[in-house]
Amino acid sequence: MTASDHDVEFCTLGMFIIDDIDFGGIRPGVKNITGGAASFAVVGARLVSGSKHAQAVSWIVDVGSDFPPETLAVIKSWNTDCLFREDTSRLTTRAWNGYHPNEQRDFKYLTPKLRLEPEMLSDRQIWSKTFHMVCSASRCIHIVQNILQRREELHKAGNSPSDKHALQRPIFVWEPVPDLCTPEEQENFLAANKFVDVVSPNHMELGMMFDQPSWTEASQQGQDLVRKITDSGIGSDGNGMLVIRAGKEGSYAYSKTCKIWLPAYHQPDASGATPVVDPTGAGNSFLGALAQGMVTTGREPFQVIQSVLSQSENWRKGLDSWGNFQSHPMALICATVAAGFVVEQIGVPQISEGNGEELWNQSEFTERVRLYTQRLLKTLEEPWSLPRDTC
């Protein structure tokens, strides 16, 4: 498939990284794993896009002198719009990930990193419908402002899409960098939120930023914190989403007027066994899939969700409460399913083909969406998305 000039739907400014992972003695560590926020976010977006729209997923990979050939083969198998930048004078960005029993992660770079700047995006990438970022609050603001300025300059120069919808403001999804989820960053965090459409720390990072051991929805303190963030305003119109990724507990999404909790795709069986092998990258994939899902209205994954959940009156009422943002809950379902693929192995899921269908880990994405929504249907006896003042 040949990509046209202006049909990018997802673009990440995350970095490609080759990972070494230390599991804290629970199991042997591993090395040379395809990773980094870029890889996992792209996997999430690519799962949702499907093979038909694979070239709508765009990113940049910096290739050093030590880049493994097998990694290159994996990336090419996804058929995304990937810009490879080769520099044999440097090493590929590498990092160490260390895990603690409570899911807390330590991270450090093993080689010099090459950060992606918005100026590095091609004219094709700059017109993406969505952008994913993992960065500090100040860098988040810089990226958003730079992308919007470049789009305006290109438009004035006559180098813009003919489709008027492509000229609309893109969707920005921001993942605060964990190291800066500190109390000193609170005001910067709240300021940056106004520039993005989705902000998504995980539950531990959000807790650390506001002097709590961990965020929990069950506590009054946790609910007060959510209200503080949403009342402060997310997005240019103040109606953006706070999405809190809570690991095995699933995710919680809030706007000023709505909320939704979605359980994780994988749940332990009666014996406590679980298919979860390694959580590395699950959050990045969740957000890549969420971003792609927010511009996937009407395609097969959404059709599956609607087909199953339209049987529930609570689902229909819940969607109504989201007003003009009814695609958000369905995008969050896609994100939840995508993250479920990533945790099943160390590194990225394996893509293959079976009976003419695209398979990831020997499963079809839309079929997993169907299985998940069928399980979700059984839990919809109670309202799952209500106006804030009745929650």
Side-chain angles (χ1 to χ4, degrees), residues 133-209:
M133 306 168 286
V134 186
C135 56
S136 67
S138 59
R139 180 165 156 75
C140 169
I141 295 172
H142 165 73
I143 289 173
V144 173
Q145 290 178 328
N146 185 286
I147 288 174
L148 294 178
Q149 181 180 352
R150 260 190 75 188
R151 289 164 70 110
E152 184 177 353
E153 290 171 353
L154 286 171
H155 179 54
K156 288 180 178 178
N159 187 10
S160 59
S162 57
D163 181 1
K164 64 179 181 180
H165 296 292
L167 299 177
Q168 295 176 351
R169 189 181 190 274
I171 294 170
F172 291 98
V173 176
W174 176 40
E175 190 176 344
V177 65
D179 288 351
L180 291 178
C181 289
T182 63
E184 294 75 21
E185 280 290 301
Q186 286 181 23
E187 293 307 314
N188 293 333
F189 170 77
L190 295 174
N193 287 347
K194 295 177 172 60
F195 287 80
V196 299
D197 302 275
V198 177
V199 56
S200 180
N202 70 28
H203 61 304
M204 297 188 69
E205 294 160 357
L206 185 60
M208 289 187 299
M209 188 179 297

Side-chain angles (χ1 to χ4, degrees), residues 212-233:
Q212 300 174 19
S214 178
W215 177 88
T216 173
E217 205 264 351
S219 70
Q220 186 62 50
Q221 191 177 25
Q223 294 180 28
D224 290 344
L225 178 53
V226 166
R227 187 170 288 106
K228 175 180 179 178
I229 294 170
T230 55
D231 285 351
S232 175

Side-chain angles (χ1 to χ4, degrees), residues 5 57 100 125 128 140 153 173 225 232 241 254 267 270 337 383 387:
D5 289 340
V57 177
H100 301 276
Q125 290 171 327
S128 177
C140 169
E153 290 171 353
V173 176
L225 178 53
S232 175
M241 273 199 304
Y254 302 88
Q267 297 294 323
V337 175

Side-chain angles (χ1 to χ4, degrees), residues 105-347:
R105 184 182 75 150
D106 290 330
F107 176 89
K108 65 179 179 182
Y109 288 101
L110 300 176
T111 62
K113 65 181 180 180
L114 182 55
R115 194 168 70 177
L116 290 181
E117 301 294 346
E119 296 88 350
M120 298 174 181
L121 298 178
S122 68
D123 285 356
R124 169 176 151 76
Q125 290 171 327
I126 207 71
W127 290 108
S128 177
K129 294 180 181 178
T130 67
F131 291 93
H132 165 255
M133 306 168 286
V134 186
C135 56
S136 67
S138 59
R139 180 165 156 75
C140 169
I141 295 172
H142 165 73
I143 289 173
V144 173
Q145 290 178 328
N146 185 286
I147 288 174
L148 294 178
Q149 181 180 352
R150 260 190 75 188
R151 289 164 70 110
E152 184 177 353
E153 290 171 353
L154 286 171
H155 179 54
K156 288 180 178 178
N159 187 10
S160 59
S162 57
D163 181 1
K164 64 179 181 180
H165 296 292
L167 299 177
Q168 295 176 351
R169 189 181 190 274
I171 294 170
F172 291 98
V173 176
W174 176 40
E175 190 176 344
V177 65
D179 288 351
L180 291 178
C181 289
T182 63
E184 294 75 21
E185 280 290 301
Q186 286 181 23
E187 293 307 314
N188 293 333
F189 170 77
L190 295 174
N193 287 347
K194 295 177 172 60
F195 287 80
V196 299
D197 302 275
V198 177
V199 56
S200 180
N202 70 28
H203 61 304
M204 297 188 69
E205 294 160 357
L206 185 60
M208 289 187 299
M209 188 179 297
F210 288 89
D211 273 331
Q212 300 174 19
S214 178
W215 177 88
T216 173
E217 205 264 351
S219 70
Q220 186 62 50
Q221 191 177 25
Q223 294 180 28
D224 290 344
L225 178 53
V226 166
R227 187 170 288 106
K228 175 180 179 178
I229 294 170
T230 55
D231 285 351
S232 175
I234 300 170
S236 57
D237 61 359
N239 292 317
M241 273 199 304
L242 168 66
V243 180
I244 303 170
R245 294 166 285 115
K248 61 185 178 182
E249 302 300 324
S251 67
Y252 298 82
Y254 302 88
S255 69
K256 280 187 175 180
T257 57
C258 299
K259 73 173 184 179
I260 179 173
W261 167 72
L262 290 172
Y265 181 83
H266 288 301
Q267 297 294 323
D269 62 21
S271 68
T274 173
V276 175
V277 173
D278 178 17
T280 305
N284 306 131
S285 291
F286 180 98
L287 293 175
L290 175 60
Q292 179 66 40
M294 291 173 78
V295 292
T296 302
T297 304
R299 295 181 189 166
E300 190 175 5
F302 275 39
Q303 292 172 10
V304 168
I305 294 169
Q306 284 288 57
S307 174
V308 174
L309 294 184
S310 61
Q311 305 170 50
S312 167
E313 184 178 353
N314 284 332
W315 164 260
R316 296 193 298 272
K317 288 180 179 178
L319 274 190
D320 287 344
S321 73
W322 283 81
N324 294 329
F325 304 102
Q326 293 187 15
S327 63
H328 290 9
M330 289 184 278
L332 287 160
I333 288 175
C334 290
T336 301
V337 175
F341 280 90
V342 171
V343 300
E344 294 174 343
Q345 68 286 302
I346 297 171

